[in-house]
Structures are given as C-alpha cells and as structure tokens.
Amino acid sequence: MKKLIAWLKSLFIKETIMSEPLVDAVADPQPVVENVAADVQPAAPVVAVTSPLDAEKSAFANFVAFVEHGIEKLGSEAEAELVALAKKYL
C-alpha cells in the first residue's frame, strides 16, 4: 500500500534540485517603481460594521463599486458578466 501511495505522489510531485539560487547575489539598490496609482481605485470606503443592516449596506456598496469600476474599464457590454462575478465573489 505504501508503494502505491508513493508511486501516486511521484506522478504529481516532482522533486527538483536547483543548480542556481533564485535570487542574484547583487541586489539593485533602488528598485524600479512604476506609477500605477492613477489606475487603482478603492472599491469602497472601509467602514466599521456595527449592525447587520450596516453589514448589508457595506456589502451592497462593495457590489455597486465593483460593477461600476468594471464598466469603466471594460465597457457597458460587460455589465452582465460583472454582476455575475460580483454575486459569486462578493
């Protein structure tokens, strides 16, 4: 039984030995930072939830903000897909 389990594991888990480290020995002293702040918008303001009604309001606000931001980026033809994604993940 142990041989069977070991064989099954060997099908999915490959052990590899790396010949080189993942990081270079010399690190760049100043990393390159791109200005992407103009593209990123918060989904909705973070509010402390004190009641079930406030929790539902916050969830709905997140839903609406997600869909509106997606429509801005992808266009109005993607609205139905955005609503489905928001229902699934929010």
Side-chain angles (χ1 to χ4, degrees):
M1 184 70 163
K2 288 183 182 182
K3 287 183 181 182
L4 176 64
I5 293 173
W7 177 75
L8 287 172
K9 283 183 181 179
S10 71
L11 292 176
F12 297 102
I13 301 172
K14 300 289 183 192
E15 293 184 25
T16 57
I17 299 174
M18 295 176 23
S19 60
E20 297 179 9
L22 290 176
V23 290
D24 294 334
V26 179
D28 188 16
Q30 296 183 3
V32 177
V33 178
E34 296 180 16
N35 188 6
V36 293
D39 229 14
V40 177
Q41 295 179 357
V46 177
V47 179
V49 177
T50 56
S51 72
L53 180 60
D54 289 340
E56 290 300 317
K57 286 180 183 178
S58 176
F60 184 73
N62 288 338
F63 178 89
V64 171
F66 175 83
V67 173
E68 287 178 343
H69 182 70
I71 290 172
E72 288 175 11
K73 295 292 180 182
L74 302 174
S76 60
E77 60 274 354
E79 182 177 357
E81 294 170 2
L82 290 166
V83 169
L85 285 172
K87 284 181 182 177
K88 184 175 181 179
Y89 293 108
L90 294 179

